[in-house]
Each structure stands twice: as structure tokens, then as C-alpha cells.
Amino acid sequence: MKAAELFVRCLEAEGVRFIYGVPGEENLDIMDALLDSSIRFITTRHEQGAAFMADVEGRLTGRAGVCLATLGPGATNLVTGVADANLDHAPLVAIAGQAATNRLHKESHQVLDLTNLFQPITKYATQILNPEIIPEVVRKAFKTAQSPKQGACFIEFPENIARMADVQARPLKPVPVTIPHPSPERVAAVAEIISEAEFPLILAGNGLVRAGCCDALVAFAEKLNIPVATTFMAKGAIPDTHPLSLGTVGLQAHDYVSCGFDRADVIICVGYDLVEYPPRLWHRSGDRKIIHIDTHPAEVDAFYPVTDGALGDFRVTLAEVAGRARPHHGHLHERLHEAILRELHAEDDDLAFPLKPQRIVADLRRALARDDIVICDVGAHKMWMARMYPCERPNTCIISNGFASMGIAVPGAVAAKLNFPRQKVVAVTGDGGFLMNCQEIETAVRLALPLVILVWNDASYGLIEWKQQIQFGRTAHVKFTNPDFVRLAEAFGARGYRIRHTEELLPTLREALALDTVAIIDCPVDYRENLRLTQKLGEMVCPI
Ligand SMILES: Cc1ncc(C[n+]2csc(CCOP(=O)(O)OP(=O)(O)O)c2C)c(N)n1
Ligand SMILES: [Mg+2]
């Protein structure tokens, strides 16, 4: 077998269904071998788009998403999406072609040391310098990417190696990774602390979503009657309508949910990644008892002083602790839950135009079923979505909160629709992030993927404007002008809508969601609400 063919067979053995990428001269053999494979190659219009597609596929499926580029500029274009997957702990395998090994030692056309370039933004980065090691390299990359804490891996494949014939090695069989059970001593110790607590509170993080154990967390919370707040990336880990849910934490400001953290004496962190939201923002006093339940030991942080914890399989740990701890009878959280719900839905029907962020979020929720998928971009709109968009299930509102890169939403929506064709998919994006990867609209139109892109139009890098206003009372270099988004949509062969009255948004969303093509909705947003929120939260008196 030719090396490139063996490589493709190894990817098939890993269950790869899609590879996102841009072909180049140095990956000709792989591209050709893919023609005789079950894997579908998705040609993208930028390698960054390909990397974000693999990132979001990884997050939604738990299997590594795969992106491919050529050497040099193709590979450097992958960097942002690969870094995003790595810091957001999404499983991803990136593949780049490379020059032949007889010119890697010298100044040479398009040659960069790619392994070293990707090393700091992956869990594992390597080169294939011998065709016989292909099965081990591919298996190791997928195993590493998919094992907790999940992340990105990188494989560089020089063209002369890919072309070699008569390779004897054969693909290795993937073996599922098993996570050990927690030690009984730690389970007992954790159960004891929870039993003795006055007002315990759970902070659920994305690790729990990655492990597919959200139902175990809900059972744990219910058994012990402990309220749950989630990070942005763990939205839906507990249904927002659940009486024990306190919604999400993640704003810089002191939000309603922060009142719960202020009152708690024991905070039980389950699958919490510090990359999402620094402990000093939810644990200002630094003097509460912290319980760390995870598959990995805690990161060191002055505001994350772990009192005790249990490491191991989430499902087993949560069930065993719940079996030993004494249930709580406090009902303090009920008042907070009510106050949060009241606050989050107060402006659901606001008629002001341009639309308030709260109204956009409410109409989007009304237009979508509970299993439909929203991919959020990064900006002020992400903050509103993360705080206010109610989720009943995990992985129905994808948010990048580790690397938090703009430009993820449109390519992310392409991957979501390819993998979950029966669910409606909406990319929610600012006008800034939208133009960073809007070229992938062509990919979506070419693949006939019906999806909706909801652009929050403020002609500005709104989040930065918000922060500048808070800090300096004036703005610096954040304003821009936008193209005509309706005509942009039409130029791509997609449908374009412009919202001219507040009450148009919901029917437009419904119409766009029923189409069999890509729809772009240009929705003007009134971001004066950003500072109003800051002010309101600054003056907020805790309801508990
Ligand atoms: C690739 C990238 N560049 C810059 C930033 C810093 N940044 C975060 S939010 C933001 C503004 C986003 O503007 P827009 O997409 O219009 O969304 P809005 O805040 O207006 O809702 C910027 C520049 C980032 N997170 N990612
Ligand atoms: Mg904007």
C-alpha cells in the first residue's frame, strides 16, 4: 500500500466521516487517496474555516474533527482554529502537508518548522518521517485528542513520505479510553464536607459535557437538593427550567448568580476548566471550601484552594458521593432561581427598535426547538446569549469561552449542520466576527446546507466598545461600516433579510429556518443595553 493510502485507511479506522480543508501541492497524494475512501472531503474557502469546522464537530460529537492544509501558509492559516480547539478542550486532529525531507534542513520555498509552530497550541504535534509509523502516529493523535482533557493534535506529513509505496504496516484498532473510579477515601471525605455544608452550590463546567455525564449531575443535584450554576460552555448541563438551576456564570460584573456564590460556604466544582472563567471572579473572598470533582487534578490558582476532591469517572463519582452525603433541606436557592428567571425574561417582549439584545435572544429561543443548535461567535452578543439564552440540553448553544476567538460561528454552523442534518442550525454572530469568516457561506451554499446566520449589526466591535466605555468613558477605533448584508447574501446565492421593525424578527427567523438554503438576517441591535446592564448589576441588591 502507498503511504498516503495507509494514512487514509488509518483515518477511516478512527471513524472519520469528514475532513475539512484546502488542498495544496504538498498533499496531492492524500487528496488523491481520499477519492477511494469513505471519508467526505469538505473543501473550504479558508483553512481557518476548516479548523473551526473541525473544532465544532469535535465539540458536538466527542470524536476528533479533522482539518487539513498544505505546508507553510496553509498550515499557518489553521493556527487560530486549532488553538481554539485546544484551549476550549475540543478534540481535533490537524494535518498539514510538508516539503520533502531532502529540503527541510535549509531555506526552502514555503518551508516552516510546523511541528514547532503547532507544539504550543496542541497536546501533541509530530512529523511522519517513516511510512511504517503511520498507524501509531494516527492512533496516538486521535487517542490524545479524544482523551480528557480533550484538545488538538497536529500531524505533519512530508510529500515524499506520503508518496512511498509498498508500506507493510496496517491501521491500528481504536480502543475506548476508560477513566478510573475515584478512591473510596476521597468519596467519603467529599460526602462528609457536603453533608456538613450550610449552603453548598455546584459549579458545572464543560468537562461534564465532554464526558456526556450531565444527567448524572442533575441526579446528584436532585438527590442532595443543591443548586447548580454552569459555565458558558456547560450551558444546558442542567435544564434552565429546572428549579435547581441558577443559570450561567461568566460575566465580569457581579450578576444575580454571583449572589449564590457569595452565600455558599462549599462550592462543588464538577468538570470546571479554569480557562473559562477565573476563580477570583466567582470566589472573591477566597475563603470558601472548594470541592474539585474531575478526571484531572486541579490547576493551581490562588483563588482555587481545593479543600478536597475526587478524581475519576464523573458518573461513578457523582453517584457514590450522592449515595453517602446527607441531602440538604435549605431552600435559599428558590428565591434566587425565581429572581434570575424574572430578570432574564423581563424584556422578552420589548418593542424598541433597534432591537434590544434581550429581545433578539428571546425571539431566537421562540423560533427554535430545544434540540436545535446555535453556534455563537465572540463579542457582546456572546455575553447576552451566554447569560440569557435558555438551554434544556447540553451542546445546543456552542460558545467558545477558552480561546474565545471571533470567526467561529459561520464555519461552526457548517460543521454542525453536516453532522446533525435533522436539527436546525443558527450561527449567531456580531458584524465584526461575521466578516472574519463569511467566505464559508460559499461552502454552505455549495453543500446545500440550510442554515441561518443571524448578524447583530451595531457597525462596531461592540464588546470592546462596551469595555472602553466602562474603563475610559469614550471609545477608541472600534467603529466600522458594513457591506449591505442582504446583497452580500444574494451574491453568494443565499437569501438575505433585513429587520426593519422589531416585530419582524420572529416571523423572519421562522421563514428563514424553513428554507432549504442559507439565510442571512441583518438585525440592528441597540447596544446601549450593554452599559445599562453594567449599571444595573452594579446597583443590584442580592435577592438572597
Ligand atoms: C480573532 C479575534 N480577534 C479579536 C478578538 C477581541 N475581541 C473580542 S470581542 C471583539 C469585538 C467583536 O465584535 P463583533 O463581532 O461585531 O461583535 P459585538 O461585540 O459587536 O457583538 C473583539 C475585537 C477576539 N476575541 N478574537
Ligand atoms: Mg458588532
Side-chain angles (χ1 to χ4, degrees), residues 378-381 404-406 430-433 436 458 460-464 480 527:
V378 172
H381 61 285
S405 172
M406 294 164 71
D431 41 8
M436 287 191 179
D458 69 330
S460 175
Y461 291 120
L463 182 79
I464 309 304
F480 47 72
Y527 271 156

Side-chain angles (χ1 to χ4, degrees), residues 76-380:
T76 55
N77 268 353
L78 288 176
V79 163
T80 302
V82 171
D84 193 82
N86 205 46
L87 250 69
D88 282 5
H89 298 301
L92 173 148
V93 172
I95 301 158
Q98 181 55 292
T101 47
N102 64 359
R103 65 180 180 99
L104 290 180
H105 60 293
K106 57 185 175 187
E107 178 177 307
S108 188
H109 188 62
Q110 295 189 309
V111 167
L112 278 183
D113 179 348
L114 295 177
T115 308
N116 264 323
L117 178 74
F118 279 85
Q119 204 273 333
I121 55 164
T122 54
K123 292 174 77 180
Y124 169 61
T126 193
Q127 289 173 303
I128 299 176
L129 292 179
N130 174 335
E132 299 294 336
I133 67 171
I134 288 172
E136 286 177 358
V137 166
V138 173
R139 184 75 277 276
K140 182 165 173 175
F142 279 81
K143 181 176 177 178
T144 308
Q146 290 167 179
S147 303
K149 290 186 171 185
Q150 288 79 346
C153 292
F154 173 76
I155 303 173
E156 173 191 317
F157 200 3
E159 58 174 339
N160 61 327
I161 310 288
R163 198 156 297 158
M164 284 181 177
D166 295 329
V167 185
Q168 297 306 311
R170 290 296 173 262
L172 295 175
K173 226 173 119 191
V175 184
V177 174
T178 50
I179 310 292
H181 290 194
S183 85
E185 291 79 24
R186 297 277 59 77
V187 166
V190 164
E192 174 70 20
I193 295 170
I194 294 174
S195 299
E196 297 302 319
E198 230 168 87
F199 181 49
L201 184 148
I202 297 165
L203 173 60
N206 188 32
L208 201 57
V209 179
R210 294 193 296 271
C213 293
C214 296
D215 56 329
L217 177 88
V218 175
F220 173 86
E222 284 172 347
K223 170 96 197 299
L224 300 179
N225 193 33
I226 301 176
V228 182
T230 76
T231 64
F232 287 178
M233 292 178 72
K235 265 180 94 61
I238 181 165
D240 273 296
T241 49
H242 196 291
L244 287 168
S245 165
L246 298 180
T248 56
V249 272
L251 292 193
Q252 302 272 328
H254 193 256
D255 205 343
Y256 284 79
V257 58
S258 318
C259 302
F261 283 88
D262 293 348
R263 288 294 297 264
D265 58 337
V266 174
I267 302 170
I268 308 158
C269 299
V270 189
Y272 160 64
D273 304 320
L274 272 73
V275 70
E276 268 211 72
Y277 189 55
R280 70 180 161 77
L281 289 179
W282 53 262
H283 187 209
R284 287 164 215 251
S285 64
D287 60 358
R288 308 300 150 96
K289 287 189 173 146
I290 303 286
I291 305 248
H292 178 81
I293 295 181
D294 208 315
T295 49
H296 281 66
E299 174 62 286
V300 173
D301 185 294
F303 290 84
Y304 197 67
V306 174
T307 309
D308 216 319
L311 300 182
D313 183 282
F314 284 114
R315 201 168 284 284
V316 176
T317 308
L318 291 168
E320 289 187 357
V321 173
R324 295 188 67 127
R326 248 192 334 272
H328 283 261
H329 298 292
H331 296 287
L332 206 52
H333 59 265
E334 284 170 8
R335 275 210 316 274
L336 189 56
H337 174 80
E338 300 281 305
I340 289 170
L341 280 187
R342 250 196 326 275
E343 151 70 14
L344 295 192
H345 297 293
E347 301 190 76
D348 279 7
D349 299 311
D350 190 274
L351 286 170
F353 187 85
L355 288 87
K356 286 189 180 169
Q358 299 92 313
R359 175 72 197 249
I360 305 178
V361 172
D363 279 356
L364 183 65
R365 186 66 278 180
R366 289 173 175 128
L368 292 174
R370 68 177 192 170
D371 287 330
D372 291 338
I373 301 171
V374 175
I375 316 287
C376 251
D377 215 78
V378 172

